[in-house]
Amino acid sequence: MTAPAPSDAPRPLGRPGDPAPPEPRPLGERRVWPRDFSDRLSAPLPGVRAYARLVREGGVRPRAAGLADVPRIPYAPAPLPEPRPGELAVTWAGHASFVVRIGGLTVLTDPVWSRRILGTPARITPVGVPWAALGRVDAVVLSHNHYDHLDAPTLRRLPRTTPVLCPAGLAPWFRRRRFTRVTELDWWEAAVLDGVRFDCVPAHHWSKRGLTDTCRSLWCGWVLTAPDGARLYFAGDTGYGPAFAEIGRRLPGTDLALLPVGAYDPRWCLGDVHCDPEEAVRAAGDLGAARMVPMHWGTFLLSSEPVLEPLLRTRAAWHAAGRAREDLWDLPVGASRVLARVREGGAGTG
């Protein structure tokens, strides 16, 4: 399976026969949503008995042998790159947190700079990017409200005027914390900030933050498209399913896909909501993505697979799919890659 080389032509927003691409919605629009989004679930959520079995079988943490490779998790912090016009840069801070430079903007994805999150041991690798090194943050995108993706202590570090883009039903959380530029979107809606288009796209997941708010807000991924056509897909947190192929049809020509490859074992419990490495590689193909960055591993202990297994299985699956090794950007925590999109249909470099 070979992905097409990127070009400098503007990316289309759909193909013949697909629904018309939506007009961008106003930034900061206040909207009324359903009280519950359970009808968006791809599969039933596990019940109390399933969670009891998960704990009984030790499925929430790797065993001692699976933790032995923690010192081998790649960690290589370096100064943030300064991309030139026409370049797309990503830096992995850990888990699902990236610093994305696209269309002249600096965008944070699901920023978690805390050492510890609720109910989970401290992170096993340090944050790859010092907060002081970020400089101006032009926007934040959130995929859903789970604690390993929506981290209140990290967000408190931001100016309250920072633009936030989040899925439907989550804006009140930010407004209670005095964020003033919050845009919430439903699936297949979009907004534009300083020329960069943010498309909210479906994910196979769920939401919950407290005891009584299951699925009270939506969950999503994001497609970011620069004025020059550079396109990045950020999955957030998701299982494998038909959403990837639909995203690929409606928003073709993804240059780079940030896809989760960890927190997948045991499959009987996590298979519907977390991709395993082979599924993530398949999802990259469904999207038509030219390149993939593995994420959602090597930071927090959320499941029982050995800590280095997601990386090794992703590399093996990428090779088995016939994809070029240079198109798998398996970044160490703290590392960056820059994609220069060449004019006249030439291949990009990274």
Side-chain angles (χ1 to χ4, degrees), residues 8 28 47 56 72-73 80 90 98 114 176 179 186 222 230 239 244 248 266:
D8 200 53
R56 185 173 64 250
R72 296 178 58 204
I73 295 173
L80 291 170
V90 292
F98 286 86
S114 295
R176 286 195 297 270
F179 282 86
D186 201 347
W222 292 93
F244 297 109

Side-chain angles (χ1 to χ4, degrees), residues 268-349:
W268 65 263
C269 180
L270 297 173
D272 290 327
V273 294
H274 286 162
C275 289
D276 65 22
E278 293 77 17
E279 289 170 334
V281 171
R282 194 180 314 149
D286 293 349
L287 291 161
R291 300 163 191 82
M292 170 180 161
V293 178
M295 65 168 183
H296 207 265
W297 75 278
T299 307
F300 296 110
L301 299 176
L302 302 174
S303 56
S304 62
E305 73 270 5
V307 294
L308 206 57
E309 183 181 278
L311 175 64
L312 301 179
R313 282 177 56 177
T314 300
R315 288 173 174 171
W318 192 260
H319 176 76
R323 302 294 297 266
R325 180 63 181 88
E326 62 268 21
D327 292 335
L328 178 64
W329 291 12
D330 45 351
L331 298 175
V333 176
S336 305
R337 289 288 294 272
V338 178
L339 175 66
R341 299 182 63 250
V342 180
R343 295 185 182 275
E344 304 301 327
T349 60

Side-chain angles (χ1 to χ4, degrees), residues 41-43 144 146 149 187 201-206 219-221 233 235-245 247 259-264 267 269-284 286-287 295-296:
L41 290 170
S42 304
H144 66 301
H146 287 160
H149 294 259
W187 294 347
V201 294
H204 298 283
H205 205 60
W206 63 301
W219 48 96
C220 72
Y233 167 73
D237 203 354
T238 182
Y240 180 77
F244 297 109
I247 295 164
L259 283 159
V261 302
Y264 52 79
R267 297 309 285 155
C269 180
L270 297 173
D272 290 327
V273 294
H274 286 162
C275 289
D276 65 22
E278 293 77 17
E279 289 170 334
V281 171
R282 194 180 314 149
D286 293 349
L287 291 161
M295 65 168 183
H296 207 265

Side-chain angles (χ1 to χ4, degrees), residues 221-247:
W222 292 93
V223 176
L224 279 58
T225 306
D228 66 2
R231 178 165 287 168
L232 175 141
Y233 167 73
F234 169 64
D237 203 354
T238 182
Y240 180 77
F244 297 109
E246 188 174 6
I247 295 164

